[in-house]
Amino acid sequence: MRILLAEDDDALAARIATALAEAGYAHERVADGVQAEFLGQTESFDAAVLDLGLPGMDGLSVLHRWREAGLALPVLILTARGRWHDKLAGFDAGADDYLTKPFQIDELILRLRALIRRAAGHASARLRCGPLELDVNAGRFLLDGGPLGLTAQEFRILAYFMHHAGRVISRSELGEHVYDNGYDPDSNVIDVLIGRIRRKLSAPLLHTVRGQGFRLAETP
């Protein structure tokens, strides 16, 4: 999962970025509203963390432009404004959730997980595909009820498949959603990692769809 982080406070952005990485999320950080508005409309993200007090273009204006353009990604607003009418303005602009500064970083991660899960159409925080289970809130995989050991990159890839189980996902889509900047679409890193994941799963859950990509499902 790839997150757009729009926050101009360097110290806070660094703390959030660290927490995102530890939670298994790729991210791209911008420090002004003009960049945020542009990236949101030109690149693929699974959610955005959007500060309202951005320079260049305030967060509400960024959000208005995204929604007017039909951009449906989940948006979690961060702001120092805690008054009800400020929150109402954020939700009216199209926000999906709202955190008032100061806040707990762990709460931000939990809210992001819930937003991404619901956007993918999952009501439960436990996603299942045959013997494989992803506990979204805990950020861990279980296979046949036991822990499944994965590297950070393997976790990102398999979590994306679990959120979109049953759908064919191309290599380019995986690259866009599970990596920070710098993914090389001509490399074979995706295939290598999927090979490793298949060996760890031991069950035939991750299928190749010739000429299209891969699909996570109990049956081919």
Side-chain angles (χ1 to χ4, degrees):
M1 303 295 174
R2 186 166 175 243
I3 310 300
L4 175 58
L5 171 59
E7 170 60 62
D8 64 324
D9 183 320
D10 290 338
L12 178 57
R15 289 175 58 213
I16 295 173
T18 297
L20 289 173
E22 290 175 348
Y25 294 120
H27 80 281
E28 182 159 351
R29 185 251 174 147
V30 294
D32 69 76
V34 175
Q35 285 182 299
E37 193 269 339
F38 175 76
L39 280 182
Q41 298 208 45
T42 58
E43 297 193 19
S44 296
F45 296 96
D46 295 285
V49 177
L50 179 65
D51 181 30
L52 290 188
L54 293 171
M57 182 188 301
D58 67 87
L60 279 182
S61 297
V62 171
L63 187 51
H64 273 298
R65 294 197 181 191
W66 283 349
R67 296 314 190 210
E68 286 172 357
L71 193 65
L73 86 162
V75 175
L76 172 61
I77 279 181
L78 301 181
T79 181
R81 309 166 192 169
R83 294 172 297 182
W84 167 243
H85 74 269
D86 293 319
K87 294 182 179 181
L88 182 60
F91 285 119
D92 283 345
D96 298 279
D97 205 349
Y98 199 108
L99 268 178
T100 303
K101 300 176 181 177
F103 54 85
Q104 295 293 321
I105 295 293
D106 287 347
E107 182 179 359
L108 181 146
I109 296 298
L110 284 174
R111 287 175 181 251
L112 267 182
R113 285 172 169 159
L115 288 179
I116 293 169
R117 170 175 53 80
R118 290 197 296 266
H122 300 287
S124 172
R126 292 180 177 267
L127 311 185
R128 292 182 174 86
C129 181
L132 182 66
E133 178 181 314
L134 171 60
D135 184 334
V136 175
N137 289 341
R140 66 179 180 180
F141 275 98
L142 299 174
L143 182 66
D144 291 320
L148 178 64
L150 299 167
T151 67
Q153 288 184 322
E154 291 165 357
F155 182 95
R156 289 181 182 183
I157 289 175
L158 192 52
Y160 191 78
F161 275 114
M162 285 292 281
H163 279 81
H164 303 282
R167 182 165 70 80
V168 177
I169 299 173
S170 68
R171 290 173 178 80
S172 61
E173 181 178 343
L174 282 172
E176 289 174 350
H177 286 267
V178 303
Y179 284 97
D180 297 317
N181 290 340
Y183 169 69
D184 180 2
D186 295 325
S187 74
N188 68 341
V189 64
I190 294 290
D191 297 87
V192 170
L193 289 169
I194 285 179
R196 292 177 183 171
I197 293 169
R198 280 176 169 152
R199 289 191 290 274
K200 291 183 178 182
L201 289 178
S202 69
L205 297 175
L206 199 46
H207 310 283
T208 298
V209 181
R210 190 176 298 276
Q212 299 180 55
F214 309 94
R215 185 167 68 96
L216 183 72
E218 290 188 72
T219 57

